[in-house]
Amino acid sequence: SAETNLRLTLPLTCVILEVILIILFAVLVEYDHETDAKLWHKHLLQHNDSNYNNDFYYRYPSFQDVHVMIFVGFGFLMTFLQRYGFSSVAFNFLIAAFALQWATLMQGFFHGMHGGKIHIGVESMINADFCTGSVLISFGALLGKTSPVQLLLMAVFEVTLFATNEYILLSILQAKDAGGSMTIHTFGAYFGLVVARVLYRPQLDKSKHKNCSVYHSDLFAMIGTIYLWMFWPSFNSAITAHGDDQHRTVMNTYYSLAACTLATFAMSSLVGPGGKLDMVHIQNAALAGGVAVGTAGEMMLTPFGSMAVGFLAGTISTLGYKFLSPVMEKKLKIQDTCGVHNLHGMPGILGAVVGAVTASLATREVYGDGSDVFPEIYAGNFSASEQGVRQAISLAVTLGMALVGGVIVGFILKLPIYSGPPDTICFEDAIYWEVPGEMESQEELGTVMSEEVQKPLNS
Amino acid sequence: SAETNLRLTLPLTCVILEVILIILFAVLVEYDHETDAKLWHKHLLQHNDSNYNNDFYYRYPSFQDVHVMIFVGFGFLMTFLQRYGFSSVAFNFLIAAFALQWATLMQGFFHGMHGGKIHIGVESMINADFCTGSVLISFGALLGKTSPVQLLLMAVFEVTLFATNEYILLSILQAKDAGGSMTIHTFGAYFGLVVARVLYRPQLDKSKHKNCSVYHSDLFAMIGTIYLWMFWPSFNSAITAHGDDQHRTVMNTYYSLAACTLATFAMSSLVGPGGKLDMVHIQNAALAGGVAVGTAGEMMLTPFGSMAVGFLAGTISTLGYKFLSPVMEKKLKIQDTCGVHNLHGMPGILGAVVGAVTASLATREVYGDGSDVFPEIYAGNFSASEQGVRQAISLAVTLGMALVGGVIVGFILKLPIYSGPPDTICFEDAIYWEVPGEMESQEELGTVMSEEVQKPLNS
Amino acid sequence: SAETNLRLTLPLTCVILEVILIILFAVLVEYDHETDAKLWHKHLLQHNDSNYNNDFYYRYPSFQDVHVMIFVGFGFLMTFLQRYGFSSVAFNFLIAAFALQWATLMQGFFHGMHGGKIHIGVESMINADFCTGSVLISFGALLGKTSPVQLLLMAVFEVTLFATNEYILLSILQAKDAGGSMTIHTFGAYFGLVVARVLYRPQLDKSKHKNCSVYHSDLFAMIGTIYLWMFWPSFNSAITAHGDDQHRTVMNTYYSLAACTLATFAMSSLVGPGGKLDMVHIQNAALAGGVAVGTAGEMMLTPFGSMAVGFLAGTISTLGYKFLSPVMEKKLKIQDTCGVHNLHGMPGILGAVVGAVTASLATREVYGDGSDVFPEIYAGNFSASEQGVRQAISLAVTLGMALVGGVIVGFILKLPIYSGPPDTICFEDAIYWEVPGEMESQEELGTVMSEEVQKPLNS
C-alpha cells in the first residue's frame, strides 16, 4: 500500500545517513596507535614492545562475543513472532549496522579527540556495539509496530543520548558500569518504553493474533536466548581492565546467569497453568542475571553474591512477564512487545543498586593495592561511600535522560511520514517484505498435530 | 494432568538446589589468585608479571567454545524430535546451568582445597562444563522420557560420581584423558544407558510416532551437530598444557573429525535403502572422531594417526546406529533415544584404547625433553608401558563406576514422585509446556492477512 | 532410482579419497615446530621463549571464526532452498571436510617442504579453510543440480587449481591478497560459473517450483548470513601479520560491511515491487563489503575508504541480483543458483581493483618503517606502482585460471557416471536422503517424484 511503501523513504534515509557517515569519517576518524601501521611500528621501537602485546589479542575474542550477541542474540531472540521473523532479524541487522557507525562518532567525540581526530580500535568497536545494544533493546519494546525508517531515525537520536549519558556517568560522575546495567539496559529499556507510550496504538488488539509465536519460531528465538546467555560474561567483561578484572567479571556473570536460570524455571512453573513452563520466560527472564551484574560484575561481588543476585533477577523478571506486563499495558498504555521492562528495565535498576551497594563496600582489605576497578578511591579522591552515592545518582540521571529523551523522540517518530504500519497490520512481514509461500503441508500439519495432542487427554 | 503437573515438584527442586548451592558457595568458594583483585595484584608485584599473562587470555577462548558445545551443541542436536524441541533445548539449558554449579563444588573438593576453600577460575569453569557434558550425554539416552525433576536429581548424583571417577583416574591412577574419552563420554554414555535400562518403558511404542524428526527439526539439529564438530578441537585441548600441547590437540582433533565425516557419509549411503543418506548418521556419527581422540589428542598421535582413528570411529558409529541400536532395544531393552552408545559409548571406549596404546609408546625420541603430557614418565616414576596399563585400568574403573552408579541412580529415579510422563505421551512438549498453536492458524492467518493488507488500500 | 543411487558411487569415492589422504599424510605430513612436542620444547630452550608465545594463541581465535564461516556460514546460507536444506548443509559439510585435508597437502607442497615433509599448524589450517571456501563458493553456483560425488571430484581439481593460483599470485607475483578477493572469491566464483555453464540444464525450469525459499528456510539462511557478516573481519585478518595488521584489517572489514548493509537495504527497497525488501538481497548482497576489502583490508585503506568501498559493493551486488542474474541465465545460459556472481564474482573483482589502487599508493609517509604489508616495497625491490601492476596482473591470472580450469573440470563432471539428478528433480533432497515425513506433502511428493523420475527414462 502507498502508506507503507518504503521505496522513497528507506533508500533516501539509508543513503543520506551513510553518505553523511562517510564524510564525517573522512574528516574526523583515524586509526589509533595500535591499528595504524606507522604509529604502531613507531610504538614498537620506542617502547621495545612486541606485536604480541597489541591490544587486539586481549580484546578481540570478547569483542566477537559481544558482536554475536548484538547480531545473532538480539536478532534471533526477536524472531519469536510468528510472522515477523524477517523484520526482526533484518531490521535488527540494519539498525545495528547503522548505529555502530554513528556511535563510533558520538562516543569518539565524547571520549576525547586526538588532535581533532577520533581514534578507533577494538575498544571503540566494543563501545560502539554496547551503544547499539541499547538501541536494540528499545527496538524490542516497539517490535512489530514501526517501519525501518522510524527505527533508523530513533537510532540517530538514541545513540546521541546514550553517548551523552555515558559521558556524564563515566567521566563526570566517575561511576563504574562496565556491563552497562545503567548505560545500556536501564537507559535502553526506559527510553524504549516511553517511546512506546507516546506511540500508543489504541487498536493494536486488531493485530493481536499475530503478536505471538508458533512452535518453530519459539525454537528460532531460543538460538538468540542461548547465545545471549553464553556470551554475557564476555559482554560484561569486554571493557574491564586487563588481568584479574576481565577474569573475575566473567566468573561473576557466569554464576549469576546459572542461578538465574534455575530461578526462572522455578517461577515459570509455579505461576503457569497446570504447572506448565512458558517459553517466553525461558527465552527472556533466564537472561536477567546478566543484566543484574552488569555494574557489579567487575567488583569483588563474590561468587555466591553473584548467584544470589542472579536468582533474585530471574525471579523478578519472570513475575514481571507474568503479572506486571499486562498491567503496564492496560493501566499505563505501554505496549511492550518483547517485555523489555522485565529483562532490561527492572534488572537494570537492580544491577545499578547492587553496583552502588557493592561499590560502597570497596576496601583495601578486599581489593588490595592498585585496584583498576576503583582508581578514584585508591587515589584517595573519594571514599567508598561516596562512590556508592555517585552510582546512585548515575541511575537517576540515566532514568531522567531516558524519560525526557524518550518523550521528545517519541513525538518526532509520531509524525505520519515514515511509512509505518496501521494498527491493523502490525507484527506482519508482508508489509515490507516479499514473503515466499509457506507450503500446503503446514496447514495439514496443524490438523494432524492438534488431533494428536488431544489423544492422550482422551485416553 | 495431575500426574505430570510440575507446579510443586519443579519449583521446589530448583529453589532448594539453588539455595543449597548459594550457601555452600558462600562458605566454601573463593576467587583463585588470577581472579581475585588483591591476590592478583600481589602476584603481579611479587613475580614482576604482566596482566597479559593472566591465564584468562590463554584459556577463555577455548572455554567459550566448550560452553557453546554444551548449550548450543547438545541443546540443539537434541531438537531432532518433532514435538520435543522446547524440552530438548530448555531442559538441556536447565540441567547444564545446575550441573556446572554443583560440579564446581564437587570437583573443587576433589581437586584440593586451599585453606579449606575451593578456588575458582577459568580452568575450573572448563572442568565444570566438562562434567556437565557427561550429564547431558546421559540425558540423550533418556530424551523424551523423563521430567525435568528427574533430570536435576540425576545430575546431583551423576556429577558426584563423575567427580569421583575423574579423581580416581587423573590423580590416583595418573591417567591422561584431556578430552574425556573415558571421564566424559564413556562414563556419561554407559551411566545413561544403564539408567535407561532400569527405567525401561514396555509401552513406549505407543509414543513411537513422535520419536522421530520432521524436515525442519532435522535442520535445527544440524545447528547442534555443526557446532559440536567445529568446536571439538577446543574441547579436547581446553585443559591441556599451554603451548604445543593445546596446539597439537587441536590439530589432531580437527583431522580426526574430517576423516570421520568422510567415513560417515560413505557408510550411511552404503547401508541406506537405495543408497540414500540418513540424517541421523550425519547428525551424530560424524562427531565420533572427536570422541575417539579425546584421550590421545594431546599425545603425538600424528596427523595420519588421527585421521585413521577418526575414519574408524565414523564407521563404527554409523554401523552402530544402523544395526546395533535396534538390537540393543529389542534384546537388551535399552531404549537409547539419541543413540549415545554409538556416538559416546563405543567411540569413548575406542578413544580409551587408542589413548592406552599411544601412551605406551611414549618415548623421549618422540616427545623430547620436559614433556607436559607425561610428567610421570619423564620423572622416571613409571615406564610408558605402565602408563598404558594405567590407561586401560582407568577404562575399567570408569565402566564399573558408570554401571554401578547407573543402577543405583536408575532405581532412585524409578520412584513415581517426579511428575514423569506415562509411556503413552513421551516425546511430547505439551505435557510440560504451554505450546503455541501451529499452523491451522497459518491458513486462517493467510486469509485474514490478505484481507487486512487490502484494507488500507481500500480506506 | 538407479540413476541417482549413491550406494556404489559415494562410499567408493569417500573411502578411496580418504585412504589416499591418510597414506599421503602418513608419508608427507608432520607437526610444525609449534605443534610438535620435541621441537617446541627445543625451541623454548634455545630461544628462551615462553609457552604463551606459541602462535596458537595469536591465530586460533581467528581460525575458529573462519571455521564457523565455512561450516555454519556457507552451510546455512544455502538452506534457503525449500527442499534442499539437508543437502545444502550436509554436502557443504562433506566437501569442506574433504577439501581441508586435500588443501593441506596441495598448499603444503607449494608452500615449501621441510626436509621433504609438509609442516602443519594453525596457520596451515587457516589456509586450508580458505581454499575450502573457494570450493564452497563454486558449490553455490551449482547448488541443487549435482550429486555429492560430482562435488567431491570438483573439489579434487579445484583445490589443486586454487593452490597453484595462490602460489603464482603470492609467491611468484608477490601480490598481496590476505582476504582472498582474488584467490578465493574471484577464483571460486568464476570457476563455478564456468562449470555451471558447461553443465547447463535446458529443462531446469521443470524444477523451478523448488528453486526458491519458504518462510522458515529464509530464516535458516539468515543464520548463515549473520555469521558470515560478523566473522568476516576475522576471515580477512586471519593470516595477516601480527600486531597492527590484524587489528587494522578487522576494522576495515567491519566498517566496510556496515556501510554495505545500509546500501543493500537502500537498493533492495528501491528496486522492489511496492518498495518491498527481498530476503535474497539481505542474505547475500549485505556481505559483498567483506569480499570487496579482502585484498585492501590489511592496507591503510582508512575507515572512510572502507565504508565507501563497502557501500559501492552492496549497491553493485544488489543490482546484480535484481537485474544481471536473470540476463546471465537467459543470454549466457549460466544457471547460478546462489547468485555467486553477485556476491563473490563482481565484488571479488572490485576487491582486486581496490587492492591494486591502494597498493600503488603505498608510501613511507603512510606506512612508516618496517611494514609487514609490503615487504618488497620496503626492501626497495620494487615501487608502489609496480606493486599495483602486479596486483592487476594477478587478477588477470586468476580469471584465466578459473576460466580454463572451469571448462576442463566442467567437462569431466559432465560424464553421466556420478549419480547426478535429471533436470526434472533438481533442488530436491528426497533423491539422496531419507526425508522424514512433513506430513502429507511427502506422500504427494513421492508420487510426483516417481512420475518425474520416469520421464527421462521414457524419453
Side-chain angles (χ1 to χ4, degrees):
Chain A
S1 80
E3 189 180 322
T4 57
N5 190 325
L6 293 173
R7 180 174 286 142
L8 291 175
T9 47
L10 186 62
L12 213 64
T13 309
C14 290
V15 173
I16 289 177
L17 287 176
E18 192 59 48
V19 167
I20 291 175
L21 282 168
I22 293 178
I23 293 173
L24 289 175
F25 266 66
V27 173
L28 292 175
V29 175
E30 277 182 351
Y31 298 120
D32 71 9
H33 77 282
E34 310 220 38
T35 318
D36 183 281
K38 184 163 78 177
L39 295 180
W40 177 250
H41 284 277
K42 193 159 131 187
H43 166 90
L44 285 182
L45 288 169
Q46 282 183 349
H47 295 86
N48 195 28
D49 203 353
S50 151
N51 271 322
Y52 291 161
N53 285 340
N54 190 295
D55 204 29
F56 174 76
Y57 301 106
Y58 302 90
R59 294 270 179 222
Y60 189 63
S62 298
F63 163 76
Q64 278 295 55
D65 290 349
V66 173
H67 215 42
V68 170
M69 287 175 74
I70 296 298
F71 288 90
V72 173
F74 280 101
F76 278 91
L77 178 57
M78 296 190 290
T79 55
F80 72 95
L81 288 173
Q82 51 161 307
R83 290 291 300 177
Y84 206 72
F86 287 14
S87 305
S88 291
V89 174
F91 292 171
N92 184 88
F93 186 23
L94 172 66
I95 308 169
F98 165 69
L100 66 86
Q101 299 177 76
W102 182 227
T104 303
L105 291 170
M106 284 287 103
Q107 292 175 309
F109 170 66
F110 277 111
H111 196 258
M113 321 264 278
H114 297 75
K117 300 285 182 184
I118 291 169
H119 275 197
I120 58 174
V122 68
E123 215 171 314
S124 70
M125 282 162 64
I126 294 172
N127 279 313
D129 266 17
F130 273 9
C131 176
T132 299
S134 98
V135 179
L136 300 179
I137 291 168
S138 306
F139 175 32
L142 306 171
L143 189 67
K145 304 175 288 177
T146 64
S147 80
V149 178
Q150 280 169 301
L151 296 170
L152 285 168
L153 192 58
M154 178 180 86
V156 172
F157 292 107
E158 189 170 2
V159 163
T160 307
L161 288 165
F162 176 100
T164 310
N165 187 53
E166 186 185 48
Y167 176 74
I168 295 173
L169 261 62
L170 305 187
S171 304
I172 297 183
L173 289 171
Q174 304 281 0
K176 303 292 295 187
D177 193 20
S181 299
M182 296 184 284
T183 57
I184 302 171
H185 301 285
T186 304
F187 176 77
Y190 289 98
F191 177 91
L193 291 168
V194 171
V195 171
R197 176 62 185 86
V198 174
L199 299 181
Y200 174 70
R201 291 169 169 276
Q203 308 264 329
L204 194 58
D205 51 300
K206 294 228 158 77
S207 305
K208 204 168 94 156
H209 55 290
K210 288 186 228 185
N211 184 5
C212 57
S213 62
V214 284
Y215 194 77
H216 64 260
S217 72
D218 267 328
L219 282 176
F220 274 114
M222 278 306 280
I223 295 173
T225 297
I226 298 287
Y227 269 97
L228 288 169
W229 195 94
M230 296 186 303
F231 289 173
W232 219 296
S234 298
F235 188 94
N236 282 353
S237 66
I239 55 163
T240 56
H242 288 315
D244 63 298
D245 299 72
Q246 275 189 285
H247 202 161
R248 178 174 58 253
T249 309
V250 155
M251 307 230 57
N252 286 340
T253 309
Y254 170 89
Y255 284 109
S256 174
L257 284 165
C260 180
T261 300
L262 277 269
T264 300
F265 274 82
M267 287 299 121
S268 186
S269 170
L270 195 65
V271 304
K276 290 187 179 181
L277 298 159
D278 185 337
M279 257 300 183
V280 170
H281 304 159
I282 310 308
Q283 285 161 358
N284 295 276
L287 302 172
V291 178
V293 296
T295 310
E298 60 174 329
M299 306 178 191
M300 291 286 285
L301 183 56
T302 75
F304 91 91
S306 308
M307 287 154 77
V309 170
F311 193 85
L312 181 60
T315 303
I316 290 173
S317 188
T318 309
L319 297 178
Y321 273 102
K322 183 71 184 184
F323 300 116
L324 188 59
S325 287
V327 169
M328 281 179 68
E329 184 158 343
K330 280 211 183 81
K331 310 279 176 176
L332 297 182
K333 295 199 164 119
I334 298 177
Q335 295 155 327
D336 179 3
T337 314
C338 291
V340 304
H341 187 245
N342 306 306
L343 172 53
H344 301 278
M346 294 190 289
I349 292 179
L350 172 62
V353 169
V354 170
V357 169
T358 314
S360 66
L361 297 173
T363 60
R364 242 191 180 78
E365 282 84 61
V366 176
Y367 289 83
D369 294 317
S371 165
D372 333 280
V373 187
F374 296 111
E376 296 297 322
I377 297 178
Y378 278 83
N381 290 349
F382 37 86
S383 66
S385 311
E386 195 180 332
Q387 181 73 44
V389 168
R390 285 166 177 264
Q391 301 286 134
I393 293 173
S394 298
L395 174 61
V397 169
T398 300
L399 284 166
M401 191 76 101
L403 298 180
V404 174
V407 169
I408 297 171
V409 175
F411 278 104
I412 294 174
L413 296 183
K414 213 170 165 68
L415 299 167
I417 55 172
Y418 309 113
S419 319
D423 291 7
T424 46
I425 37 166
C426 286
F427 314 110
E428 176 55 60
D429 271 335
I431 300 172
Y432 297 124
W433 297 89
E434 296 188 74
V435 180
E438 193 95 30
M439 279 210 261
E440 259 83 299
S441 71
Q442 286 297 338
E443 172 202 312
E444 298 154 331
L445 188 81
T447 324
V448 174
M449 239 185 42
S450 43
E451 285 173 351
E452 295 198 318
V453 169
Q454 294 296 322
K455 281 189 198 152
L457 299 174
N458 296 336
S459 65
Chain B
S1 79
E3 189 182 322
T4 57
N5 190 325
L6 293 172
R7 179 172 288 145
L8 291 175
T9 48
L10 186 63
L12 214 65
T13 309
C14 290
V15 173
I16 290 177
L17 287 176
E18 191 60 45
V19 167
I20 291 176
L21 282 168
I22 293 177
I23 293 173
L24 289 175
F25 265 66
V27 173
L28 293 173
V29 175
E30 275 181 355
Y31 298 120
D32 71 10
H33 78 281
E34 310 221 37
T35 317
D36 184 281
K38 185 163 77 177
L39 295 179
W40 177 251
H41 284 277
K42 195 160 128 186
H43 166 90
L44 285 182
L45 289 169
Q46 282 182 351
H47 295 85
N48 195 27
D49 203 353
S50 150
N51 272 321
Y52 291 160
N53 286 338
N54 189 296
D55 204 29
F56 174 76
Y57 301 105
Y58 303 91
R59 294 272 179 220
Y60 189 62
S62 298
F63 164 75
Q64 278 294 56
D65 290 351
V66 173
H67 216 41
V68 171
M69 288 174 73
I70 296 298
F71 288 91
V72 173
F74 280 101
F76 278 91
L77 178 57
M78 296 192 289
T79 56
F80 72 95
L81 289 173
Q82 50 159 308
R83 288 290 300 174
Y84 207 71
F86 287 14
S87 304
S88 291
V89 174
F91 292 171
N92 184 89
F93 185 24
L94 172 66
I95 307 169
F98 165 69
L100 66 85
Q101 298 177 76
W102 182 227
T104 303
L105 291 171
M106 285 287 103
Q107 293 174 308
F109 169 66
F110 277 111
H111 195 260
M113 322 263 279
H114 297 74
K117 301 284 182 187
I118 291 169
H119 275 197
I120 58 174
V122 68
E123 218 172 312
S124 69
M125 281 161 66
I126 294 172
N127 280 312
D129 266 17
F130 274 8
C131 176
T132 299
S134 98
V135 178
L136 300 178
I137 290 168
S138 306
F139 174 32
L142 307 170
L143 190 67
K145 304 175 287 176
T146 64
S147 80
V149 178
Q150 282 168 300
L151 296 170
L152 285 167
L153 192 58
M154 178 180 87
V156 172
F157 292 107
E158 190 169 2
V159 163
T160 307
L161 288 165
F162 176 100
T164 310
N165 186 53
E166 185 185 49
Y167 176 73
I168 295 173
L169 262 59
L170 306 186
S171 303
I172 297 182
L173 289 170
Q174 303 281 0
K176 303 290 294 190
D177 194 19
S181 299
M182 296 185 281
T183 57
I184 302 171
H185 300 286
T186 304
F187 177 76
Y190 289 97
F191 177 91
L193 292 168
V194 171
V195 171
R197 176 60 185 89
V198 174
L199 298 182
Y200 173 69
R201 289 171 171 275
Q203 308 263 329
L204 194 59
D205 52 298
K206 293 227 158 78
S207 303
K208 205 167 95 157
H209 56 292
K210 287 189 226 187
N211 185 4
C212 58
S213 62
V214 285
Y215 193 78
H216 63 261
S217 72
D218 267 327
L219 282 176
F220 273 114
M222 278 306 281
I223 295 173
T225 297
I226 298 288
Y227 270 98
L228 288 169
W229 194 94
M230 296 187 302
F231 289 173
W232 219 296
S234 299
F235 187 93
N236 282 354
S237 66
I239 55 164
T240 56
H242 290 316
D244 63 297
D245 298 73
Q246 276 188 283
H247 202 161
R248 180 175 56 254
T249 309
V250 155
M251 306 229 57
N252 286 340
T253 309
Y254 169 89
Y255 283 109
S256 175
L257 283 164
C260 180
T261 300
L262 278 267
T264 300
F265 274 82
M267 288 299 121
S268 186
S269 171
L270 194 65
V271 303
K276 290 187 179 181
L277 297 160
D278 185 336
M279 256 303 184
V280 171
H281 304 159
I282 310 308
Q283 284 161 357
N284 294 275
L287 302 172
V291 178
V293 296
T295 310
E298 60 175 331
M299 306 177 191
M300 290 286 284
L301 183 56
T302 75
F304 91 91
S306 307
M307 288 155 76
V309 171
F311 193 85
L312 181 60
T315 303
I316 289 173
S317 189
T318 308
L319 297 177
Y321 272 103
K322 183 71 183 185
F323 300 117
L324 189 57
S325 288
V327 169
M328 282 179 68
E329 183 157 344
K330 280 210 182 79
K331 311 278 177 177
L332 297 181
K333 295 200 165 116
I334 297 178
Q335 294 156 327
D336 179 5
T337 314
C338 291
V340 303
H341 186 247
N342 306 305
L343 171 54
H344 300 278
M346 295 191 289
I349 291 179
L350 172 62
V353 169
V354 170
V357 169
T358 314
S360 67
L361 298 174
T363 61
R364 245 192 177 75
E365 281 84 58
V366 176
Y367 287 83
D369 294 315
S371 168
D372 332 283
V373 188
F374 296 112
E376 296 298 322
I377 298 179
Y378 279 82
N381 290 350
F382 36 87
S383 66
S385 308
E386 195 180 333
Q387 181 74 41
V389 169
R390 284 167 178 262
Q391 300 286 133
I393 293 172
S394 298
L395 174 61
V397 169
T398 300
L399 284 168
M401 192 75 101
L403 298 180
V404 175
V407 170
I408 297 172
V409 175
F411 278 103
I412 294 173
L413 295 183
K414 214 170 164 68
L415 299 167
I417 56 172
Y418 309 113
S419 320
D423 290 8
T424 46
I425 39 168
C426 287
F427 315 111
E428 174 56 61
D429 271 335
I431 299 172
Y432 297 124
W433 296 89
E434 296 189 75
V435 179
E438 194 101 19
M439 303 293 163
E440 225 127 21
S441 68
Q442 283 296 334
E443 173 204 318
E444 298 156 333
L445 194 76
T447 324
V448 173
M449 219 177 65
S450 40
E451 285 171 353
E452 292 195 323
V453 167
Q454 295 296 322
K455 281 190 197 154
L457 297 174
N458 296 336
S459 65
Chain C
S1 78
E3 189 182 323
T4 57
N5 191 325
L6 293 173
R7 181 174 285 143
L8 291 175
T9 48
L10 187 62
L12 212 65
T13 309
C14 291
V15 173
I16 289 177
L17 287 177
E18 192 58 48
V19 167
I20 290 176
L21 283 168
I22 292 177
I23 293 173
L24 289 175
F25 266 66
V27 173
L28 293 175
V29 175
E30 276 181 354
Y31 298 120
D32 71 9
H33 78 280
E34 310 220 40
T35 318
D36 183 281
K38 184 164 78 176
L39 296 180
W40 177 251
H41 284 277
K42 194 160 129 187
H43 166 90
L44 286 181
L45 288 169
Q46 282 183 350
H47 295 85
N48 194 27
D49 204 351
S50 149
N51 272 322
Y52 291 160
N53 285 340
N54 190 296
D55 203 30
F56 174 76
Y57 301 106
Y58 302 91
R59 296 270 179 221
Y60 189 62
S62 298
F63 164 75
Q64 277 298 53
D65 290 350
V66 173
H67 216 41
V68 170
M69 288 174 75
I70 296 297
F71 289 91
V72 173
F74 280 101
F76 278 91
L77 178 58
M78 296 192 289
T79 56
F80 72 95
L81 289 172
Q82 49 158 311
R83 291 289 303 176
Y84 206 71
F86 286 14
S87 305
S88 293
V89 174
F91 292 170
N92 185 89
F93 186 24
L94 172 66
I95 308 169
F98 165 69
L100 66 85
Q101 298 177 77
W102 182 227
T104 303
L105 290 171
M106 286 286 102
Q107 293 175 308
F109 169 66
F110 277 111
H111 196 260
M113 323 263 277
H114 298 75
K117 300 283 181 189
I118 292 170
H119 275 198
I120 58 174
V122 68
E123 216 171 313
S124 70
M125 282 162 65
I126 293 172
N127 279 312
D129 266 16
F130 274 8
C131 176
T132 298
S134 99
V135 179
L136 300 179
I137 291 168
S138 306
F139 175 32
L142 307 171
L143 189 67
K145 304 175 288 175
T146 64
S147 80
V149 178
Q150 282 168 300
L151 296 170
L152 285 168
L153 192 59
M154 178 180 87
V156 172
F157 292 106
E158 189 169 3
V159 164
T160 307
L161 288 166
F162 176 101
T164 310
N165 188 53
E166 186 185 47
Y167 175 73
I168 295 174
L169 261 61
L170 305 187
S171 302
I172 297 183
L173 289 170
Q174 302 280 359
K176 302 292 294 188
D177 194 20
S181 299
M182 295 184 283
T183 58
I184 302 172
H185 301 285
T186 304
F187 176 77
Y190 289 97
F191 177 91
L193 292 168
V194 171
V195 171
R197 177 60 186 87
V198 174
L199 298 181
Y200 174 69
R201 289 170 171 278
Q203 309 262 332
L204 194 58
D205 51 299
K206 294 229 157 77
S207 304
K208 204 168 94 155
H209 56 292
K210 288 188 225 184
N211 185 4
C212 58
S213 63
V214 284
Y215 193 78
H216 63 261
S217 74
D218 268 328
L219 282 176
F220 274 114
M222 279 306 279
I223 295 172
T225 297
I226 299 287
Y227 269 98
L228 289 170
W229 194 94
M230 295 186 304
F231 289 172
W232 220 296
S234 299
F235 188 94
N236 282 353
S237 65
I239 55 163
T240 57
H242 289 316
D244 63 297
D245 299 71
Q246 275 189 284
H247 202 161
R248 179 173 57 254
T249 309
V250 155
M251 305 228 59
N252 286 339
T253 309
Y254 169 88
Y255 283 109
S256 174
L257 284 163
C260 180
T261 301
L262 277 268
T264 300
F265 274 82
M267 287 299 121
S268 187
S269 170
L270 195 67
V271 304
K276 290 188 180 180
L277 297 159
D278 185 336
M279 257 301 183
V280 170
H281 304 159
I282 311 307
Q283 285 161 356
N284 294 276
L287 302 172
V291 178
V293 295
T295 310
E298 60 174 330
M299 305 178 190
M300 291 286 284
L301 183 56
T302 74
F304 91 91
S306 307
M307 288 155 76
V309 171
F311 192 86
L312 181 61
T315 303
I316 290 173
S317 189
T318 308
L319 297 178
Y321 272 102
K322 183 71 184 183
F323 301 117
L324 188 58
S325 288
V327 169
M328 282 180 65
E329 183 158 343
K330 280 211 184 81
K331 310 279 178 178
L332 298 181
K333 296 199 164 118
I334 298 178
Q335 294 155 329
D336 180 4
T337 314
C338 291
V340 304
H341 186 246
N342 305 307
L343 172 53
H344 300 278
M346 295 191 288
I349 290 179
L350 173 62
V353 169
V354 170
V357 170
T358 314
S360 67
L361 299 174
T363 61
R364 243 194 179 75
E365 282 84 61
V366 176
Y367 288 84
D369 294 314
S371 168
D372 333 283
V373 187
F374 296 111
E376 296 297 322
I377 298 179
Y378 277 83
N381 290 349
F382 38 86
S383 67
S385 309
E386 197 182 331
Q387 180 73 43
V389 168
R390 284 166 178 264
Q391 299 287 135
I393 292 173
S394 298
L395 174 61
V397 169
T398 301
L399 284 167
M401 191 76 100
L403 297 180
V404 175
V407 169
I408 297 172
V409 175
F411 279 102
I412 293 175
L413 296 183
K414 213 167 165 71
L415 300 166
I417 55 172
Y418 308 114
S419 318
D423 290 9
T424 45
I425 38 167
C426 286
F427 313 111
E428 175 56 61
D429 272 335
I431 301 171
Y432 298 124
W433 296 90
E434 295 188 76
V435 179
E438 190 95 28
M439 318 258 163
E440 262 78 303
S441 71
Q442 279 299 327
E443 179 200 307
E444 300 157 333
L445 190 79
T447 325
V448 172
M449 230 181 50
S450 42
E451 286 171 353
E452 294 195 322
V453 167
Q454 294 297 322
K455 283 188 199 153
L457 298 174
N458 296 337
S459 63

